[in-house]
Amino acid sequence: YERVLAYLKPKYLLGLTATPERADGQDVREWFGGRTAVELRLWDALEQELLSPFHYFGIHDGTDLRDVSWRRGRGYDSDELTNVYTADHIWAGKIVEAVRDKVGSPSAMRALGFCVSVAHARFMAERFESAGLRAVAVTGDTPAGEREAALRNLRDGSIQALFTVDLFNEGVDIPAIDTVLMLRPTESATVFLQQ
C-alpha cells in the first residue's frame, strides 16, 4: 500500500486493522501522524458483546519439540515439525479424541484446522476421514474451483473439517465455521489471533 498512498497523497486517511502489531515490524501509525484514534482489543470487544463469544480450550498433547530446530525470526523448522506431527497416528488420535470430548456434536461441526505444512494438512484430513469425520485439505495449491467447493461443502455440512496451512489467515470471513483447531505452534500473537 505504500506506493498507492505515496501516489494518491490522500488528504484524509482512515485505517482500520485487527492486527496492529505486525510481523514485519512496520508501524502502520506512521501513515497517521503516529496516532491511534481509537483502540479496541479483542478481549474488550468480547466483554462489550461486540463479537460472538468463544470458548478456548488449550489442550496439552505432550508433544516434545525440544529436538525441532528453532531459528529466531523464523520459528520452528516446518519440515521437522511435519515429521513430528505425522510420524505416527497417536498424536492425530489425540486430536480426534479432544474434538469428540470438547465439541458437542462433531458430526455437525464446521472446523478449520491450521496445520504446519501441506503434508500435515493432508495427513490430518486422512486421519479425520478414517475416524469417520468428513474432511479435506485445502492449500495454496488447491485449484480455485476445488477450494470454493470445499468451502461450500463445509457450509452445507457435507464435510466437518478443512485443514489448511496459512491459507485462511486474514481478510477471510467464513461465518459457518464454529470450531478452529490450532494444530501448529506459533511464536506470533498476530498469527494466533488471525487464525
Side-chain angles (χ1 to χ4, degrees):
Y1 293 102
E2 287 182 9
R3 288 194 337 223
V4 172
L5 292 173
Y7 177 79
L8 293 176
K9 296 178 180 59
K11 189 172 181 179
Y12 299 102
L13 181 62
L14 172 66
L16 304 171
T17 182
T19 53
E21 289 83 18
R22 298 172 45 91
D24 63 8
Q26 297 288 322
D27 186 354
V28 296
R29 294 177 307 157
E30 76 178 49
W31 292 98
F32 308 96
R35 294 173 299 155
T36 300
V38 175
E39 182 174 331
L40 180 64
R41 293 296 181 150
L42 175 65
W43 44 89
D44 297 323
L46 287 165
E47 189 175 294
Q48 294 175 30
E49 298 181 355
L50 298 173
L51 298 172
S52 297
F54 64 90
H55 298 282
Y56 176 83
F57 300 99
I59 300 169
H60 179 64
D61 62 7
T63 304
D64 185 356
L65 300 178
R66 285 182 289 190
D67 293 331
V68 177
S69 299
W70 171 270
R71 289 176 188 78
R72 174 169 269 177
R74 296 181 66 204
Y76 288 109
D77 180 277
S78 63
D79 291 336
E80 291 179 31
L81 275 177
T82 298
N83 291 339
V84 168
Y85 289 132
T86 61
D88 61 52
H89 300 231
I90 294 171
W91 181 83
K94 288 180 181 180
I95 302 302
V96 171
E97 183 181 321
V99 164
R100 288 191 170 133
D101 181 50
K102 300 296 182 195
V103 175
S105 178
S107 62
M109 78 173 175
R110 290 173 175 91
L112 182 57
F114 290 101
C115 298
V116 171
S117 65
V118 171
H120 182 215
R122 290 179 180 147
F123 174 80
M124 289 308 299
E126 290 168 9
R127 299 313 324 140
F128 267 53
E129 283 282 332
S130 69
L133 296 168
R134 300 275 304 136
V136 295
V138 179
T139 70
D141 298 331
T142 304
E146 287 180 35
R147 192 181 299 179
E148 290 166 15
L151 289 169
R152 197 169 40 255
N153 291 339
L154 186 69
R155 276 192 300 273
D156 72 20
S158 1
I159 61 173
Q160 283 80 52
L162 291 181
F163 291 97
T164 189
V165 53
D166 292 335
L167 186 60
F168 299 110
N169 286 10
E170 58 182 302
V172 177
D173 186 21
I174 310 171
I177 292 172
D178 57 25
T179 305
V180 175
L181 303 170
M182 288 294 291
L183 304 176
R184 49 150 312 187
T186 180
E187 70 284 355
S188 168
T190 298
V191 169
F192 181 78
L193 286 173
Q194 286 173 337
Q195 294 185 339

